[in-house]
Amino acid sequence: MIHRLKEIRKALGLNQTDFAKHLGITQTAYSMIESGNRPLADKYVKVICSSFHVDENWFLTGEGSMFLSSPYEKEFTDIFSHLAPETQQYLLLMARELLNTQQKLLQTYKP
């Protein structure tokens, strides 16, 4: 589980100091946990999973996906639900166009 802890931190682009702040502990305490010199308390597992949308089953067992969903998915869904139907339709059209543009760019970028 300790290697998955480091994997989460790196996937989020956080250093040990910033990650430790989210847990309410010092960087030194966090470093000891990440290096395996100190156990990770269950309460921190819950904090990590809820704060960063990490799948607790993945965190504990390594099975499944690291994240429950994209960190942006909830925000996008909340915004989308507050838009008028016409605006939702326009946003979907723009998203499809953006996806097509991304696919074209990726095809031309292949090294």
Side-chain angles (χ1 to χ4, degrees), residues 28-92:
T28 303
Y30 178 79
S31 178
M32 291 177 68
I33 293 168
E34 195 172 276
S35 64
N37 294 323
R38 186 174 178 182
L40 179 65
D42 290 340
K43 70 178 181 178
Y44 295 123
V45 171
K46 299 289 184 192
V47 169
I48 292 165
C49 291
S50 65
S51 297
F52 300 112
H53 305 284
V54 172
D55 184 322
E56 189 171 347
N57 183 56
W58 175 86
F59 193 24
L60 298 174
T61 68
E63 297 174 4
S65 298
M66 180 187 302
F67 294 106
L68 294 172
S69 63
S70 162
Y72 310 108
E73 189 174 336
K74 183 179 182 334
E75 181 181 9
F76 186 84
T77 303
D78 289 343
I79 292 169
F80 189 83
S81 70
H82 288 92
L83 297 174
E86 297 81 16
T87 310
Q88 289 178 344
Q89 188 176 15
Y90 179 74
L91 182 56
L92 284 173

Side-chain angles (χ1 to χ4, degrees), residues 89-105:
Q89 188 176 15
Y90 179 74
L91 182 56
L92 284 173
L93 176 66
M94 296 305 297
R96 285 187 198 106
E97 287 300 316
L98 182 59
L99 181 60
N100 288 336
T101 301
Q102 175 182 279
Q103 289 171 336
K104 289 175 186 173
L105 288 172

